[in-house]
Amino acid sequence: MMENNVGLGRNDKNPFEWSSIRKDYPGSEGYDPSLPWILKIDEEGLLACDLHQYVDDLSVMAKDVALTWRASSRVAKICSFLGFQDAARKRRAPSQEPGAWAGAVVTTVD
C-alpha cells in the first residue's frame, strides 16, 4: 500500500515527490542526530512529504499545511480505490504537536 501512495520519486502531480535520498547513519561522516537515518529531500532541499504506517493507521508528514492536506487526500483516495475504508472522523488538522497517535494523553501531577 505504501508504494501505491508514495510512488517512485519524481512526479510533479504527486505530493510525495522527492529528488534525492540522504543517509544519515550513526558513525558516518556528517552524522546529525537530529535528523532521521534515511530522509527524502525535495527539489528545494527541504524534507520531502512522507507517509508513516503503524498497523492500520497512516500518518502524513509534510513541510506545510497545504502539502499535508494534498498528501492526505491522495492517501484517502488510493486507499478507497484499493477497498480500504477511510475513517474521516479520525482525521486531525496538521500540527507540530498532534498528541497521541490514537486514544488519549493522560498526565498526573503529584
Side-chain angles (χ1 to χ4, degrees), residues 20 51 53 61-62 66 85:
S20 64
L51 179 67
Q53 180 177 1
M61 58 160 257
Q85 291 182 346

Side-chain angles (χ1 to χ4, degrees), residues 40 53 57 64 67 99:
K40 296 178 209 163
Q53 180 177 1
D57 287 330
D64 59 36
L67 185 59

Side-chain angles (χ1 to χ4, degrees), residues 26-80:
S28 64
E29 188 176 331
Y31 171 65
D32 183 353
S34 68
L35 296 174
W37 287 3
I38 299 175
L39 57 147
K40 296 178 209 163
I41 307 292
D42 67 6
E43 292 286 333
E44 299 169 1
L46 301 171
L47 190 62
C49 185
D50 206 359
L51 179 67
H52 299 278
Q53 180 177 1
Y54 180 75
V55 187
D56 63 345
D57 287 330
L58 299 171
S59 179
V60 174
M61 58 160 257
K63 60 186 170 191
D64 59 36
V65 174
L67 185 59
T68 305
W69 281 115
R70 261 185 61 215
S72 295
S73 175
R74 177 182 170 89
V75 169
K77 290 172 186 173
I78 290 177
C79 287
S80 178

